[in-house]
C-alpha cells in the first residue's frame, strides 16, 4: 500500500497487519521548484518559484483535498501553455480547476487568493 497525507481509509485489521507503511510528506518549495523545472523545462525560474511558494502556502490551509505535486505540475503546464509569466488573482481564478477538484475547495481558494499571493511573493530578480 502507498499513501500520502491526504489519504484516510479504514482497512480491515487483517489487511493492516500485512501492510508496511511509509508516509511521504509534501516537498519543500525549493524541491518543488526543481520538480517543476524538471517536468516543464520551458517554464521560467521566476514563475516556477512563485508556483512553488503558492503551493506551500495552500498546503498550510484546510481543504477537503489539498493539492499535491501532480496538481502543481498540471498548473505549471497550464500556465506555460497560456504563456503566463506571473500569477495574479485573474490567473488564479482562470486556472484554479488545475488545483482543486471539489467545489467547496475552489470557493475557499477564491476567498483567500489575495492573502495567498501576498504571503508567497517571489522576487523576480532572483
Amino acid at each position: 500500500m502507498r499513501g500520502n497525507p491526504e489519504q484516510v481509509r479504514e482497512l480491515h485489521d487483517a489487511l493492516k497487519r500485512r501492510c508496511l507503511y511509509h508516509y511521504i510528506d509534501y516537498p519543500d518549495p525549493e524541491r518543488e521548484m526543481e520538480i517543476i523545472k524538471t517536468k516543464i523545462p520551458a517554464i521560467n525560474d521566476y514563475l516556477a518559484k512563485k508556483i512553488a511558494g503558492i503551493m506551500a502556502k495552500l498546503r498550510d490551509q484546510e481543504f477537503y483535498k489539498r493539492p499535491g505535486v501532480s496538481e502543481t505540475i498540471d498548473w505549471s503546464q497550464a500556465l506555460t501553455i497560456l504563456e503566463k509569466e506571473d500569477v495574479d488573482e485573474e490567473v488564479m481564478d482562470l486556472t484554479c480547476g488545475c488545483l482543486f477538484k471539489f467545489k467547496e475547495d475552489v470557493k475557499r481558494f477564491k476567498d483567500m487568493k489575495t492573502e495567498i499571493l501576498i504571503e508567497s511573493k517571489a522576487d523576480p530578480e532572483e
Side-chain angles (χ1 to χ4, degrees):
M1 293 222 81
R2 290 182 359 179
N4 66 36
E6 296 301 321
Q7 295 174 328
V8 178
R9 295 185 194 156
E10 291 301 318
L11 300 175
H12 191 276
D13 287 339
L15 181 58
K16 287 181 187 178
R17 287 191 298 271
R18 290 168 178 80
C19 294
L20 297 176
Y21 294 91
H22 181 73
Y23 296 95
I24 301 172
D25 208 355
Y26 295 113
D28 62 39
E30 292 77 23
R31 177 66 183 130
E32 192 150 32
M33 184 178 165
E34 291 173 13
I35 293 167
I36 294 167
K37 295 286 294 171
T38 300
K39 295 292 185 179
I40 301 138
I43 198 166
N44 70 57
D45 288 344
Y46 171 73
L47 185 57
K49 182 176 183 175
K50 181 118 181 211
I51 290 169
I54 290 170
M55 297 307 288
K57 293 297 177 188
L58 288 175
R59 291 183 186 131
D60 288 341
Q61 306 302 317
E62 290 297 321
F63 290 105
Y64 180 71
K65 183 180 183 313
R66 290 184 182 105
V69 176
S70 177
E71 285 78 16
T72 301
I73 294 166
D74 292 346
W75 193 36
S76 301
Q77 184 70 49
L79 296 177
T80 303
I81 290 168
L82 293 170
E83 299 180 349
K84 300 297 182 185
E85 295 189 9
D86 199 358
V87 179
D88 58 23
E89 290 186 34
E90 181 181 348
V91 169
M92 291 175 95
D93 277 340
L94 179 66
T95 59
C96 64
C98 296
L99 300 173
F100 300 101
K101 309 307 181 224
F102 295 97
K103 186 177 177 180
E104 297 82 7
D105 287 348
V106 170
K107 182 184 180 328
R108 179 159 167 69
F109 171 71
K110 287 183 175 186
D111 290 345
M112 67 172 50
K113 66 185 173 203
T114 303
E115 175 187 333
I116 295 292
L117 278 173
I118 291 169
E119 291 178 5
S120 62
K121 286 256 187 224
D123 185 359
E125 300 302 318
E126 289 183 9

